[in-house]
Amino acid sequence: MAFAGMNYLAIVAAVVASFIFGGVWYGVLSKQWLAALGKTEEDVKGTGMIMPMVVTVIAQLIMAWILAGLIGHLGPGQVTVRNGMISGAFCWLGFVVTTLAVNHAYQGAKRTLTLIDAGHWLGVLLIQGAVIGLIGV
């Protein structure tokens, strides 16, 4: 099997698009997310938002880079929006939602928190896969 390669512009574009998605996702679901987390808006603002955002960008950059590598391993001519989204969905199902479910179960988190967070990461990986597939190698 031949490696199709990676497009670093696609990786950066995927990070930007998925970061924006996260802002919209949690903006729309902020009240439900805070309630599920058991915190107030003041609690969250008191801890600061800069470091979590830096961690988010770094984590999403790594995710997009790895996802691009996985999609690239499908081979030449296989880096498509459809295959990117399928790869993102498989990564979410196999690694992200399973890890999230285990961690939240041990932490005693509310199911609502798990659903909101899992939905966010599904959206992130679908968007990243679509962008990487769209821009190609």
Side-chain angles (χ1 to χ4, degrees), residues 31-107:
K31 286 185 173 71
Q32 296 90 333
W33 180 73
L34 285 169
L37 195 58
K39 296 194 178 219
T40 66
E41 196 171 328
E42 292 75 33
D43 293 335
V44 174
K45 285 182 181 177
T47 61
M49 293 302 291
I50 298 298
M51 277 313 294
M53 286 188 176
V54 169
V55 170
T56 300
V57 170
I58 292 169
Q60 288 189 4
L61 183 61
I62 293 167
M63 288 175 83
W65 179 55
I66 296 299
L67 185 58
L70 291 171
I71 296 166
H73 274 86
L74 295 174
Q78 298 301 311
V79 180
T80 65
V81 171
R82 180 178 185 270
N83 286 343
M85 292 180 75
I86 290 170
S87 297
F90 276 144
C91 288
W92 175 80
L93 182 62
F95 303 110
V96 176
V97 77
T98 53
T99 303
L100 194 60
V102 169
N103 287 353
H104 281 188
Y106 278 102
Q107 294 166 1

